[in-house]
């Protein structure tokens, strides 16, 4: 009985994963196309990969994209984490709701609005448009998703946990670092990854706030769309995808290794609950 | 002392709120009261509320955002649940995130290749003898692609709330004779409500202003407020009208937040 | 806490490594163009994505020693906002016709000094001195084209469609794709009933919108750049699109053909201008002259696939291209076409409102 439901759940899992990866594999498949377009596979070729590496401009843009994504996601995660803690600690329910609504404003605003208003804001302040303004903008629009990912974890946390730690003589810092953060860690991590997603995907905001000599992959892809999607972009995406896959697998091995240490803590939490 | 300490951590966050949220919103509100030459006017709001076009568009946006959120939730909850029970749960979660790192426009083009008349899906349908069908520019294809994009944003918070769910509760429920269905609906689901709510917010709100997919995959059959804003900001450069719709979106979001706000939780926390 | 510090450390290390790679790239590029001499050696061009043959840029760098920063935009209006808002220093930009007029009236352009332009004589007279820029005071043409109809000969016989009005035939039910642009589609409806594509008359616009509504049963979708992919993949039989897009589609799918319907329509230009953000005029003129050379213009036209306004360059193109009436229509056809004028925000708004209403019509 249990086995059967397990089988079904595995089938479901595999099915959803196939759906999620179908377009990705489609993209990767056509990056090997001898022809120039994402249809009518006419033969295998490395041509688009060679083109891609020969295009130093594209490679430079790629590096820029990663710098912006990693840096902005990191800072957004840190700011968002403490923001979420602030909202969590707000005692008044009304204030809390207002804060949350404010937090979500950037999520509901279409990119053009965000981009245009950031552009006006940056030029008003006199900030030089370029790398700095792009990173700043990416941090700004990634913060809400981090808060949204971290906050539910905090809310779920049993307050008895914190109280118990206090009773045992833990100070604020210890409560934060030993109890709250480990508990919220999955939320923090997914906030970080979602921030990377937002940053990598953004076109409109980056377009508006970027200056001379600085561009990201999304801006390049969208501007090239008038001429049709170049398969060297496919090749690039395929490479990026494989690279991130490798990183994920490395992460998996590392976390597998380090999770042995955290088992103990989990045990401690159980005790508190009972 | 205690409060000051927490506050100092949150300074960057409040600074962000002030500079990147409140200031732009004020700018937006001011612009929404401006006409093409920048003079004060209420016309934009009057146009919005008196024109059938915009109201229908609003209805469309809410309607489709609702359906997309529903589909996403239906697919994501079981997915998150199954994943959270797996041995290397975090690894599987990363596999869910990975596809989101590939550029959206590129994925949209891949979907065109998959769904087109001579595309992979139709070839498959023909092979099993039920095709070919017109897939592109249908509400179905639009919903599929929109849900596809949003699924990771739904899975993640739900997964997070399920992953550290205390097994002891589930065991207790089982010990008390609950069936697995009862355990799911009475114990697991209520306990993961926080994650579900966060997921709905992360999906419903952005879907309201979705625009690229409506054109690329939907062929402009579905027109949402996002399309109108895009046009007012980029084509007609009537920033006043664009801002008006933006303000309305923000108000709508505030309303959604108000309606789904936590009422229970407060009691629970303070009751302790 | 440990985990967060750990994460921060890893990310910061990664960012540093990436910065290093970036510097290495820049260094490699700098030595490439040997920027020994002092002064401003960079030329910043703001153009549509992939709208120039990159080997030409390399050649220009080698020939003149200037380093080219090629930056891209995806719509005229977005480019306009960027240049108007400032904070950037583009030396050259490539807007379309009506946008040049708009930029001119917003004082965003610097007049060109014709005595510094060596290649002006190479351009075809009929593409100079257009209404949007009399005497080419501010711009010189880069590419030009038309609005027309693309059809697939698997579903539509050649010669079946010769005018805009032919699109209304019921047999094309759900088989037409339109480009998502208010000026073009409203313009097409106006031209189909013999009116000007620059009309400033509400009754005419309302009538055009009414006429479009009757086309709706034939309309399969209203899309933008992706229209090329769709047509190439046989998704629809007919598309209303620009000649530039059409050339891309035809390169992908040999069954497609492009025609310019008789009896009115749009003639468009993408011209090079010098925005007020220019900082390196000397390099900008060097580039304008470089691109005016027939050899280079022809090479660029072959790469991009659009029609070049450079008469000497046309002569260098293969016969099959320069004699193709779809790409280089005869004077008699061209004389019927109109260039879009900048109608001012109110009228652009009117066109857009009617188009939006048309799009909201139930299908």
């Amino acid at each position: 009985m249990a086995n059967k439901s397990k089988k079904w759940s595995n089938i479901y899992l595999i099915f959803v994963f196939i759906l999620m990866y179908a377009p990705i594999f489609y993209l990767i498949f056509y990056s090997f196309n001898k022809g120039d377009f994402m249809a009518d596979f006419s033969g295998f070729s490395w041509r688009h990969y060679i083109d891609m590496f020969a295009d130093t401009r594209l490679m430079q843009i790629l590096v820029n994209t990663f710098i912006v994504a990693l840096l902005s996601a990191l800072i957004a995660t840190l700011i968002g984490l403490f923001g979420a803690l602030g909202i969590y600690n707000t005692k008044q329910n009304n204030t809390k709701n207002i804060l949350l609504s404010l937090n979500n404003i950037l999520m509901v605003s279409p990119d053009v609005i965000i981009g245009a208003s950031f552009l006006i804001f940056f030029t008003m302040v006199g900030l030089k448009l370029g790398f700095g303004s792009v990173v700043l903008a990416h941090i700004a629009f990634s913060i809400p998703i981090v808060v949204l990912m971290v906050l539910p974890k905090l809310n779920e946390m049993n307050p008895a946990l914190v109280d118990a730690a206090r009773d045992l003589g833990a100070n604020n810092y210890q409560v934060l670092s030993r109890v709250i953060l480990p508990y919220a860690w999955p939320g923090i991590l997914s906030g970080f990854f979602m921030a990377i997603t937002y940053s990598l995907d953004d076109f409109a905001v980056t377009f508006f706030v970027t200056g001379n000599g600085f561009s990201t992959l999304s801006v390049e892809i969208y501007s090239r769309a008038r001429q049709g999607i170049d398969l060297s972009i496919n090749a690039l995406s395929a490479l990026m995808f494989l690279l991130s896959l490798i990183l994920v697998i490395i992460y998996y091995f590392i976390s597998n290794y380090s999770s042995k240490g955290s088992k103990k803590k989990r045990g401690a939490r159980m005790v508190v609950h009972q | 002392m205690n409060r000051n300490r927490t506050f100092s951590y949150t300074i960057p966050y409040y600074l962000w709120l002030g500079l990147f949220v409140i200031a732009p919103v004020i700018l937006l509100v001011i612009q929404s009261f401006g006409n093409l030459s920048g003079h004060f006017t209420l016309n934009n709001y009057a146009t919005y509320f008196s024109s059938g076009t915009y109201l229908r568009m609003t209805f469309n946006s809410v309607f489709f955002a609702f359906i997309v959120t529903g589909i996403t939730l239906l697919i994501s909850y079981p997915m998150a649940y199954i994943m959270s029970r797996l041995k290397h749960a975090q690894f599987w979660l990363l596999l869910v995130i990975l596809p989101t790192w590939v550029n959206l426009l590129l994925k949209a083009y891949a979907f065109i290749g998959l769904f087109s008349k001579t595309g992979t899906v139709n070839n498959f349908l023909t092979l099993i003898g039920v095709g070919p069908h017109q897939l592109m520019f249908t509400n179905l294809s639009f919903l599929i692609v929109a849900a596809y994009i949003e699924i990771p944003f739904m899975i993640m918070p739900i997964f997070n709330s399920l992953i550290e769910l205390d097994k002891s509760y589930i065991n207790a429920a089982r010990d008390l004779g609950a069936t697995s269905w009862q355990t799911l609906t009475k114990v697991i689901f209520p306990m993961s409500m926080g994650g579900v709510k966060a997921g709905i917010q992360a999906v419903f709100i952005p879907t309201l202003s979705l625009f690229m997919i409506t054109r690329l995959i939907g062929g402009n059959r579905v027109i949402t407020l996002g399309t109108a804003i895009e046009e007012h900001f980029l084509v007609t450069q009537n920033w006043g009208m664009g801002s008006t719709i933006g303000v309305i979106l923000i108000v709508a979001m505030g309303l959604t937040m108000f309606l789904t706000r936590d009422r229970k939780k407060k009691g629970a926390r303070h009751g302790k | 806490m440990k985990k967060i510090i750990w994460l921060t450390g890893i990310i910061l290390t990664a960012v540093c490594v990436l910065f290093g790679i970036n510097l290495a790239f820049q260094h490699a590029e700098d030595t490439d163009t040997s920027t020994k001499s002092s002064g401003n050696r960079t030329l910043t061009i703001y153009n549509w994505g992939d709208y120039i043959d990159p080997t030409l840029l390399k050649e220009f760098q080698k020939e003149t020693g200037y380093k080219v920063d090629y930056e891209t935009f995806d719509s005229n209006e977005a480019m306009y906002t960027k240049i108007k808002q400032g904070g950037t220093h583009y030396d050259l930009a490539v807007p379309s016709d009506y946008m040049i007029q708009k930029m001119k009236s917003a004082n965003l352009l610097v007049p060109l000094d014709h005595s510094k332009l060596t290649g002006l004589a190479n351009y075809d007279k009929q593409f100079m001195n257009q209404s949007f820029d009399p005497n080419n005071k501010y711009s010189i043409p880069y590419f030009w084209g038309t609005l027309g109809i693309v059809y697939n000969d698997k579903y539509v016989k050649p010669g079946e469609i010769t005018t805009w009005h032919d699109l209304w035939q019921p047999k094309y039910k759900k088989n037409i794709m339109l480009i998502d642009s208010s000026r073009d589609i409203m313009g097409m409806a106006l031209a189909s009933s013999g009116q000007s594509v620059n009309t400033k008359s509400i009754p005419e616009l309302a009538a055009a919108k009414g006429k479009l509504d009757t086309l709706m049963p034939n309309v399969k979708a209203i899309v933008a750049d992706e229209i090329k992919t769709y047509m190439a993949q046989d998704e629809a039989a007919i598309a209303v699109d620009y000649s530039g897009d059409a050339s891309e589609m035809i390169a992908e799918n040999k069954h497609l053909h492009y025609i310019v319907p008789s009896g009115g329509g749009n003639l468009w230009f993408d011209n090079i201008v010098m925005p007020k953000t220019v900082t390196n005029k000397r390099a900008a003129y060097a580039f304008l002259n470089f691109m005016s050379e027939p050899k280079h213009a022809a090479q660029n036209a072959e790469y991009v696939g659009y029609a070049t306004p450079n008469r000497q360059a046309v002569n260098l193109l293969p016969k099959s291209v320069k004699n193709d009436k779809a790409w280089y229509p005869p004077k008699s056809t061209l004389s019927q076409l109109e260039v879009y004028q900048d109608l001012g925000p109110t009228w652009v708004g009117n066109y857009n409102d009617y188009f939006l209403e048309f799009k909201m019509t139930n299908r």
Side-chain angles (χ1 to χ4, degrees):
Chain A
M1 173 73 189
N3 243 342
K4 202 174 169 191
S5 79
K6 195 162 189 181
K7 200 175 101 194
W8 279 112
S9 65
N10 282 344
I11 289 175
Y12 182 77
L13 194 78
I14 292 166
F15 178 71
V16 175
F17 268 116
I18 288 177
L19 289 186
M20 292 186 74
Y21 279 79
I24 314 278
F25 286 135
Y26 187 88
L27 280 176
I28 297 179
F29 179 70
Y30 276 101
S31 71
F32 295 108
N33 191 359
K34 215 186 217 160
D36 278 326
F37 308 106
M38 235 195 281
D40 301 327
F41 195 82
S42 55
F44 180 87
S45 135
W46 286 103
R47 191 159 74 85
H48 301 292
Y49 286 84
I50 296 164
D51 280 357
M52 171 189 90
F53 282 115
D55 192 345
T56 41
R57 182 182 138 76
L58 198 62
M59 296 318 279
Q60 221 173 334
I61 288 175
L62 178 71
V63 174
N64 283 342
T65 310
F66 275 119
I67 293 177
V68 171
L70 288 174
L71 205 60
S72 66
L74 177 70
I75 299 172
T77 308
L78 294 178
I79 298 178
L81 168 63
F82 287 113
L85 283 172
I87 296 178
Y88 172 71
N89 283 332
T90 309
K91 292 290 180 293
Q92 251 158 347
N93 232 11
N94 279 339
T95 327
K96 205 170 180 171
N97 277 320
I98 291 173
L99 279 175
L100 257 177
S101 300
L102 285 177
N103 181 69
N104 287 355
I105 281 180
L106 286 189
M107 288 186 64
V108 71
S109 309
D111 290 353
V112 249
I113 292 191
I114 301 180
S117 46
F118 282 8
L119 174 65
I120 294 172
F121 176 63
F122 287 150
T123 44
M124 231 157 61
V125 181
L127 189 79
K128 193 175 166 289
L129 297 182
F131 173 72
S133 59
V134 172
V135 172
L136 220 56
H138 280 223
I139 293 171
F141 68 66
S142 302
I143 287 176
I145 191 74
V146 175
V147 173
L148 216 53
M149 292 291 152
V150 175
L151 201 58
K153 283 301 325 173
L154 295 177
N155 283 336
E156 265 162 37
M157 192 170 58
N158 196 331
L161 221 65
V162 179
D163 295 342
R166 285 253 158 73
D167 291 347
L168 294 171
N171 60 23
N172 268 338
Y173 175 78
Q174 282 167 327
V175 169
L176 186 71
S177 69
R178 301 276 169 80
V179 183
I180 299 180
L181 289 184
Y183 191 86
W185 179 246
I188 298 169
L189 211 57
S190 37
F192 175 73
F193 286 125
M194 284 289 102
I196 290 189
T197 303
Y198 269 35
S199 170
L200 287 180
D201 239 359
D202 175 71
F203 155 70
V205 179
T206 316
F207 176 85
F208 277 115
V209 302
T210 191
N212 289 106
F214 193 83
S215 180
T216 65
L217 200 58
S218 276
V219 174
E220 186 66 14
I221 292 176
Y222 277 79
S223 331
R224 280 187 187 201
R226 178 162 144 171
Q227 301 286 307
I229 297 276
D230 194 336
L231 283 191
S232 56
I233 301 273
N234 279 35
L236 188 66
S237 304
L239 212 68
M240 272 172 68
F241 179 78
L242 285 180
L243 199 76
S244 12
L245 192 66
I246 292 168
L247 283 178
V248 165
I249 291 169
I250 292 173
Y251 166 82
Y252 162 72
F253 279 113
I254 292 174
S255 68
N256 225 12
Y257 171 78
S258 66
S259 71
K260 279 169 194 134
S262 67
K263 281 271 156 54
K264 261 181 275 164
K265 277 182 214 145
R266 206 166 287 169
R269 209 170 297 139
M270 291 292 203
V271 176
V272 175
H273 271 295
Q274 280 143 18
Chain B
M1 174 66 204
N2 191 338
R3 295 209 109 209
N4 278 344
R5 181 75 179 266
T6 1
F7 188 74
S8 69
Y9 283 130
T10 52
I11 282 176
Y13 181 75
Y14 288 111
L15 214 62
W16 166 77
L17 271 185
L19 289 178
F20 291 96
V21 180
I22 297 175
V25 167
I26 292 173
L27 202 75
L28 202 68
V29 173
I30 293 173
Q31 263 176 2
S32 73
F33 288 110
N35 61 11
L36 281 170
S37 42
H39 296 298
F40 178 85
T41 174
L42 284 172
N43 273 350
N44 292 330
Y45 287 92
T47 313
Y48 179 87
F49 285 108
S50 64
S51 127
T53 319
Y54 286 118
L55 293 179
R56 261 205 355 255
M57 223 183 279
T58 315
F59 173 76
N60 273 350
S61 308
V62 173
F63 179 71
F64 277 100
F66 201 71
I67 297 183
V68 169
T69 313
I71 295 176
T72 317
L73 183 62
L74 273 180
I75 297 175
S76 304
Y77 198 92
M79 187 73 179
Y81 180 76
I82 296 168
M83 277 166 47
S84 70
R85 293 284 163 275
L86 290 176
K87 213 186 261 158
H88 304 297
Q90 295 291 346
F91 171 70
W92 293 103
L93 187 68
L94 281 172
L95 285 188
V96 169
I97 301 174
L98 220 49
T100 63
W101 289 355
V102 175
N103 188 278
L104 184 60
L105 187 69
L106 222 51
K107 278 185 288 192
Y109 270 87
F111 270 112
I112 295 177
L114 285 169
F115 286 162
S116 71
K117 231 183 202 168
T118 53
T120 316
V121 172
N122 261 329
N123 285 344
F124 177 73
L125 288 180
T126 319
L127 197 74
I128 59 170
V130 290
H133 284 285
Q134 173 65 40
L135 298 171
M136 239 35 247
F137 315 125
T138 56
N139 287 344
L140 182 71
S141 62
F142 167 69
L143 289 175
I144 290 175
V145 177
Y148 171 85
I149 293 165
E150 302 293 352
I151 279 178
F153 293 88
M154 185 68 95
I155 290 184
M156 200 145 320
I158 298 178
F159 173 89
N160 283 337
S161 62
L162 286 171
I163 185 78
E164 300 230 341
L165 198 92
D166 263 318
K167 297 252 169 29
S168 51
Y169 286 118
I170 298 165
N171 291 337
R174 284 274 165 76
D175 290 347
L176 294 170
T179 62
S180 11
W181 178 248
Q182 280 170 327
T183 319
L184 184 71
T185 53
K186 297 274 163 61
V187 181
I188 300 175
F189 193 71
M191 287 189 70
S192 59
M193 253 338 255
V196 172
K197 267 188 183 166
I200 290 176
Q201 284 173 10
V203 172
F204 185 80
I205 294 175
T207 310
L208 277 177
S209 59
L210 208 64
F211 79 94
M212 203 186 74
I213 299 304
T214 57
R215 189 195 75 210
L216 221 77
I217 304 293
N220 270 321
R221 290 183 148 266
V222 181
I223 294 185
T224 62
L225 289 175
T227 315
I229 293 186
E230 199 73 11
E231 278 185 0
H232 282 306
F233 266 85
L234 289 180
V235 184
T236 54
Q237 305 212 299
N238 184 353
W239 287 25
M241 192 66 214
S243 306
T244 304
I245 305 174
V247 169
I248 285 163
L249 265 179
I250 290 171
V251 171
M253 184 272 300
L255 215 64
T256 328
M257 296 287 302
F258 178 75
L259 291 176
T260 57
R261 73 187 186 278
D262 283 328
R263 274 165 281 206
K264 266 195 330 240
K265 195 143 280 166
K266 187 187 172 192
R269 278 198 56 194
H270 285 243
K272 283 271 168 184
Chain C
M1 196 55 106
K2 225 193 263 164
K3 273 182 178 167
I4 289 188
I5 294 168
W6 188 73
L7 179 77
T8 313
I10 286 190
I11 304 291
L12 287 181
T13 323
V15 168
C16 287
V17 170
L18 288 172
F19 259 121
I21 296 174
N22 208 357
L23 281 180
F25 268 126
Q26 257 158 23
H27 187 74
E29 234 173 59
D30 284 349
T31 47
D32 242 24
T33 48
S34 65
T35 47
K36 272 167 261 160
S37 53
S38 58
N40 190 349
R41 303 299 295 168
T42 311
L43 172 70
T44 313
I45 301 172
Y46 205 28
N47 198 353
W48 302 80
D50 210 15
Y51 204 34
I52 193 167
D53 185 347
T55 57
L56 280 174
L57 289 180
K58 279 199 191 115
E59 209 180 314
F60 174 76
Q61 305 200 79
K62 208 177 267 168
E63 208 170 273
T64 59
Y66 292 113
K67 178 181 176 294
V68 176
D69 253 344
Y70 186 76
E71 314 221 343
T72 52
F73 56 83
D74 80 322
S75 85
N76 277 307
E77 285 74 15
M79 177 229 29
Y80 175 85
T81 312
K82 280 292 276 186
I83 288 184
K84 191 176 172 202
Q85 200 61 40
T88 51
H89 51 84
Y90 303 114
D91 296 317
L92 291 171
V94 187
S96 307
D97 34 52
Y98 69 97
M99 186 48 72
I100 293 174
Q101 205 178 346
K102 184 170 174 163
M103 291 174 87
K104 197 170 63 183
S105 45
N107 284 323
L108 294 178
L109 298 181
V110 176
L112 298 175
D113 182 351
H114 282 217
S115 67
K116 288 186 182 147
L117 294 171
T118 55
L120 269 184
N122 296 336
Y123 290 96
D124 196 330
K125 287 270 174 332
Q126 60 174 329
F127 303 127
M128 303 293 277
N129 193 17
Q130 293 289 332
S131 57
F132 57 86
D133 183 22
N135 298 319
N136 289 73
K137 193 173 167 200
Y138 295 97
S139 72
I140 60 172
Y142 184 65
F143 280 114
W144 66 276
T146 49
L147 180 74
I149 297 171
V150 180
Y151 66 88
N152 190 323
D153 63 18
K154 277 197 252 174
Y155 313 105
V156 177
K157 278 194 244 51
E160 234 178 72
I161 299 173
T162 53
T163 65
W164 290 118
H165 203 75
D166 292 332
L167 294 177
W168 269 261
Q169 295 173 50
K171 64 176 169 186
Y172 301 134
K173 192 167 186 313
K174 284 221 163 190
N175 246 326
I176 301 177
M177 278 203 215
L178 302 179
I179 192 87
D180 186 11
S181 147
S182 53
R183 277 308 285 277
D184 291 314
I185 298 307
M186 291 300 289
M188 173 200 87
L190 286 165
S192 74
S193 20
Q195 273 134 356
S196 160
V197 298
N198 292 315
T199 187
K200 282 195 182 187
S201 142
I202 288 285
E204 278 185 21
L205 276 181
K209 190 252 167 191
K211 190 165 182 191
L212 276 181
D213 282 345
T214 62
L215 182 66
M216 206 38 137
N218 284 2
V219 175
K220 182 164 206 169
I222 302 169
V223 286
D225 293 317
E226 54 280 6
I227 196 168
K228 288 169 291 193
T229 311
Y230 281 127
M231 286 306 287
Q233 300 189 8
D234 275 11
E235 195 64 36
I238 300 166
V240 175
D241 202 355
Y242 324 106
S243 55
D245 279 0
S247 78
E248 307 268 326
M249 293 176 200
I250 292 168
E252 278 185 63
N253 187 341
K254 294 290 169 235
H255 288 288
L256 298 177
H257 305 273
Y258 178 74
I259 60 150
V260 183
S262 61
N266 168 240
L267 174 71
W268 57 260
F269 289 91
D270 285 338
N271 283 20
I272 313 189
V273 299
M274 209 182 276
K276 65 153 195 206
T277 52
V278 61
T279 53
N280 194 351
K281 282 194 183 175
R282 190 190 282 265
Y285 281 112
F287 187 77
L288 288 175
N289 291 334
F290 178 85
M291 291 310 289
S292 302
E293 275 171 46
K295 193 174 53 165
H296 299 143
Q299 187 186 337
N300 203 25
E302 282 199 68
Y303 176 87
V304 176
Y306 288 24
T308 175
N310 193 314
R311 196 162 32 109
Q312 308 298 331
V314 175
N315 290 335
L316 298 175
L317 291 174
K319 268 211 177 72
S320 58
V321 177
K322 68 181 172 195
N323 292 336
D324 191 332
K325 276 190 195 144
W327 310 117
Y328 294 95
K331 255 199 173 121
S332 55
T333 314
L334 285 181
S335 62
Q336 292 178 319
L337 304 179
E338 286 176 282
V339 180
Y340 291 141
Q341 283 160 17
D342 177 32
L343 300 173
T346 316
W347 280 97
V348 172
N350 286 337
Y351 273 75
N352 226 59
D353 287 347
Y354 276 115
F355 187 57
L356 196 62
E357 248 174 73
F358 158 68
K359 283 202 280 187
M360 293 287 289
T361 318
N362 277 330
R363 271 169 264 180

